[in-house]
Amino acid sequence: MGPVIGLTAQYEQLVNKKMLEINNTYVDAILEGGGIPIVLPIVMDADTIDNYLDLVDGILLTGGGDISPLSFGEEPIKEIGSICIARDKMELELFRRAYERDIPVLGICRGLQIINIALEGTVYQDIFVQLPYSIAHVYSENVSQGFHTINILKDSLLYEIFGKDKLVVNSQHHQSIKDIGENLRVTSTTVDGIVESVESTNDKFVFGVQFHPEAMIYNDKEFIKLFNYFVNKCKK
Ligand code: MN
């Protein structure tokens, strides 16, 4: 059996339903990468979160809605999107405990921002208002195709995986990293300086991307390499 990867999910609280939702692209990507995906429901109890971590070999923090700016010490600006405090709290706790236990973590889009905030970093609540000269970072019509170019540092996991210093990736985010968290470094950016990936500077495996490699795999098999790499790091 391959490494078991715990995937976080979106929590939609409707009038008479509380729905846990996950885009199946994450499930496909982990399977293609050689892992066994399991979805982790949102819970508040720290012991249950520890129990989740007993079951998995790695964590994938998935994409989703905005993170409450209260979690990094700011009040919301009016461009903030939908937020879910319960998901924020659960993922921040899950990350901190996984980090403590040296369990590998991959963060995608919102997941990269969760990693950064958990390590005392901050994010732009809305890049188009707060960074008016940024290029376009939201293209939702077809997320399985590339949209903008990222420039990759040669001494980085991303370069190790793809062997390229430029990569065309999709983009579907209006938030991005502002101040980088502790023990993290930026490893790729777009031409406007927006952070598109980070990795740990210590011996823990923490890797985050702002784009959506899981959505690219259907058009471009090369992106499976990223999941292969992550799943291999999760082997006991
Ligand atoms: Mn982007």
Side-chain angles (χ1 to χ4, degrees), residues 16-218:
N16 55 358
K17 287 182 183 170
K18 293 176 186 290
M19 304 290 289
L20 189 72
E21 295 178 344
I22 184 160
N23 190 327
N24 211 64
T25 52
Y26 295 106
V27 172
D28 286 346
I30 292 297
L31 287 170
E32 291 279 353
I36 311 295
I38 63 169
V39 180
L40 306 177
I42 289 164
V43 292
M44 289 296 104
D45 177 55
D47 288 340
T48 308
I49 290 173
D50 257 335
N51 293 334
Y52 282 172
L53 291 171
D54 294 338
L55 298 172
V56 304
D57 304 302
I59 290 288
L60 169 52
L61 298 170
T62 60
D66 287 358
I67 302 166
S68 169
L70 298 177
S71 65
F72 51 93
E74 289 183 15
E75 292 299 320
I77 63 171
K78 61 183 184 297
E79 289 77 13
I80 199 82
S82 64
I83 59 171
C84 174
I85 299 283
R87 183 176 180 191
D88 292 351
K89 284 189 173 164
M90 186 266 193
E91 287 186 323
L92 289 166
E93 190 66 24
L94 181 70
F95 174 79
R96 289 190 187 108
R97 285 170 186 265
Y99 193 75
E100 187 72 33
R101 291 170 61 167
D102 290 326
I103 294 171
V105 179
L106 171 63
I108 293 181
C109 196
R110 171 195 161 89
L112 157 141
Q113 294 166 19
I114 285 284
I115 290 169
N116 190 54
I117 291 166
L119 294 173
E120 312 297 334
T122 62
V123 305
Y124 290 107
Q125 294 186 41
D126 182 85
I127 54 182
F128 304 113
V129 166
Q130 296 178 317
L131 287 174
Y133 299 105
S134 63
I135 63 167
H137 285 273
V138 180
Y139 186 75
S140 308
E141 277 177 47
N142 184 355
V143 288
S144 67
Q145 71 182 11
F147 181 59
H148 63 35
T149 307
I150 61 172
N151 299 301
I152 303 171
L153 289 185
K154 285 204 166 156
D155 170 27
S156 68
L157 294 179
L158 212 48
Y159 188 87
E160 195 181 329
I161 294 166
F162 291 100
K164 294 174 180 174
D165 59 6
K166 285 186 190 299
L167 193 62
V168 175
V169 300
N170 54 10
S171 195
Q172 205 183 9
H173 59 107
H174 79 113
Q175 301 194 313
S176 73
I177 287 181
K178 186 162 70 178
D179 303 303
I180 189 81
E182 288 169 15
N183 301 313
L184 285 178
R185 69 186 180 109
V186 176
T187 60
S188 71
T189 52
T190 36
V191 68
D192 51 5
I194 295 284
V195 174
E196 291 280 342
S197 63
V198 301
E199 64 186 58
S200 56
T201 55
N202 56 21
D203 55 359
K204 296 177 188 287
F205 187 87
V206 176
F207 181 33
V209 292
Q210 184 61 71
F211 56 95
H212 284 276
E214 81 290 356
M216 300 284 291
I217 62 171
Y218 306 97

